[in-house]
Every structure is written in structure tokens, then in C-alpha cells.
Amino acid sequence: MASPLEQFQIKPIVHLSLAGYDVSFTNSALWMTIAAATLSLVLLSSARGASLVPGRLQSLGEIMYEFIAGMVRENVGDEGKKYFPFFFTLFCFVLGGNLFGLIPGAFTFTSHIVVTFSLALAIFLTITVIGFARHGTHFFSLFFPSGAPLATAPILIPIEVISYMARPISLSVRLFANMTVGHIIMKIFAGFVISLGAYFLVPGVVPFAVLVGLSALEFFVAALQAYIFTILSCIYLNDAIHLH
Amino acid sequence: MPQFDATWFPAQIFWLAITFIAFYVVLSNFVLPKLGAAIEGREKKIEGDLARAGSLKGESDAMIATYEKALAESRAKALAVRAETEAKLAKEAAAKSAELNAALADKIKAAETRIGESRRAALSNVEALAAEIAVEAARKIGGLSVTEADARAAARG
């Protein structure tokens, strides 16, 4: 039987190279494309001919719009408005990656650390640039909470700097680990269904029932992790804009 | 773990950038402005409708107030007219009854005079009859001759 890790294997579909790097179109790229294209189509048809009284599809689009708009407004404030399209895209992209990954046989690109870390690092760098652009060197005050005694600076500043630098790592590892572990557990229980069910039909039912519950849990985790990834990005942007 | 196989890092980063940016371009240009406009348009419409409903309600309130004022005025007017009419009628009735009373009093007085006269006439007739009877009686019974004037005086006595 295939290893539980086999589902994470990258398989090139079209071999490509660019500037000496292998940039082949892989199964990961395929599912990124499928997720982005499907969600684009759904959201485009949701926005097309948007009317005063929304239909089902338009309601879906509007619910997502208001959900993310509310998240940005509450966590960043009015200055966050111009970053709203980015957060909307981020949420949809991660949610799409997580949910499409749950289709049996699909590839979950959010279970790859390089994908989540690239996203997190891009967000982290952009937010840091925004912080410096807005506050100049005053941005460094983020690393020393105002009101703390000056004597604590030698301890506080390194802690704050390290926790700031750890943000892209914690952000990306959280998503990557959640998706990877969820899929490994599902695969292991699916293996139990086959191996137990091959000998006796009845014991195979038990891991199957567990698998059903795990699948439901994984749908929840998929949505929750997309939400956490997006809201933490909002909170980091808020720090850069408002400096605590 | 395949996740830590660096062979495919560039390919994944490359396609992540392409798909994410394409997705961002589609959403920020063709989806979000329309959804935002739809939501905002609806909010504006609701706000406008509420404002219009508020102003219409104000208008109807003013109209009701005017109507009630007119109603109160006409009621007061009606009451005044009624009171006036009542007073006029009472006055007329009093005048009429006074007139009638006066006429009746006159009639009563006239009747009383007439009754008095009749009584007096009747009494004098009785007197004359009595005197005549007395004269006749005195003559027949007593053989006396009594003048009529004496008899009359005695009868009146």
C-alpha cells in the first residue's frame, strides 16, 4: 500500500525551465490553477449583473465580500480598505486550496511548506515595507512597547524582534502542518478501512465511520485555517499601520 | 517528506505567483467592484427609502394635525352656533310666552269683569224678584201695602 506521504508527491505534468530553474507545471500548479480558475468563475458569475435583490450566487459572493470586508475593517480599520482586495484574494486562494485538496485524488497545495511560506513571507515583507513607508524609523518603536521601563529594553527588544521575525514562520507552518497532518490521518484511516475490510467486512466499518467524522473535521479545519491565515495577516498589517 | 524536497521549490513558487496574481487581478478588477457596488447601492437605496418614508410620515403627520385642527375648529363653531340658536330660541319662546300670558291675562280679566257684571245683574234681578215677591206676600198675607222701594231695601238688607 502507498505511504501516507505519497499524496504529497510533486509530479511534473509539463516540463518547463526558466533562467536555469525548473519551473515545470506540476500537479501542485494544476490544483492552484483549478482552485483559482473555479473560484474566479464562481465569483465572476456571482458579480455579473449584480442586482438589488441578489440571487443565490450573488448572495454567496456578497456574504464572502462582507465577511472579509468586516474582518479587514475590524482588524485594520479604514486604512485597511485599499488592501481589502488582497485579503479577499488571499482568503479565497487559501480556502480554495484547502477545500479542493479534500477532493479524493486531488493535490493539496496548501500542505506544502514552500507554498505557505512563500505566501507568508510575501505578506510579511510587504507589511514591513508598508510600516517603514508610513512611519520611517519610527517603525522600530514596534519592537519596544511604549510605557515599558527603559531598563527592560535589552530584554524586550530582542524578544519583540524575534517574535516579529517568527511571524512568517508561524503563519506558514500553522497552515502547512494543519493540512499535512489532516491529510496524513485521513490517509491512515482510509488504509485501515482497506486492510481491515479485506479480512472482515464488519471491522472495516469502524475506521470508515472515523474517516467520515475526520472528513467533516477536515472541512472545518480547511475553512478555519484559511480564516486564521487571513485574519493574522490583517492583524500584522494593523501592527505596521498603527504600531500597537 | 516530499514537502522538504527542494527540487520543486522554484516551480511551486513560480506557479503560486502566477496563479495568485492572476486570481488577484480577476477578483480586484471584475468581481469586487461589482459586488461592492451592489452592496453599496442596496444600502443607499434602503437609506433613501427610509429617508423618503420619514419625510412622507412627517407630511402625513402635519396633514393629520391640520385636519384635527380644522375638526376642532368646526366643532367649536358648531357648539357656538348651537348655543346661539338655543339662546335665540329660548328668548323667542320667552317673548312668545310672555305675550301669550299677557293676552290670557287680558282675557281672564275681561271674563272676570263679565262674570262680575253678570253676577251683579243676576243679583239685582234676584233683588227685584225678592222685592216683588215680598210686596206680593205682604199684600196677600198681611194685607199690608209695601212700597217696592222698601221691599227692595229690605231684600238687600
Side-chain angles (χ1 to χ4, degrees), chain B residues 3-98:
Chain B
Q3 277 94 332
F4 301 117
D5 176 7
T7 321
W8 299 109
F9 282 4
Q12 277 177 285
I13 294 169
F14 179 75
W15 287 102
L16 170 68
I18 287 182
T19 51
F20 191 88
I21 290 167
F23 192 36
Y24 176 80
V25 168
V26 170
L27 292 188
S28 62
N29 287 305
F30 306 111
V31 172
L32 297 177
K34 279 185 192 165
L35 284 179
I39 292 169
E40 212 166 283
R42 183 177 309 124
E43 271 165 13
K44 270 207 189 107
K45 172 107 174 64
I46 289 169
E47 252 166 49
D49 284 357
L50 283 179
R52 215 155 58 89
S55 76
L56 284 179
K57 190 181 177 292
E59 261 173 46
S60 73
D61 280 353
M63 234 171 235
I64 287 170
T66 320
Y67 163 77
E68 272 177 359
K69 210 174 126 201
L71 195 68
E73 265 170 24
S74 54
R75 184 173 292 148
K77 213 161 148 195
L79 282 177
V81 167
R82 201 179 80 176
E84 201 182 302
T85 315
E86 267 176 3
K88 206 169 101 189
L89 286 178
K91 218 162 91 186
E92 268 175 21
K96 222 168 229 170
S97 87

Side-chain angles (χ1 to χ4, degrees), chain A residues 40-65:
Chain A
S40 292
L41 285 179
V42 169
L43 288 167
L44 275 173
S45 47
S46 140
R48 198 189 50 210
S51 61
L52 189 66
V53 180
R56 278 183 217 168
L57 213 53
Q58 192 186 334
S59 281
L60 178 76
E62 285 185 7
I63 287 167
M64 290 188 63
Y65 185 102

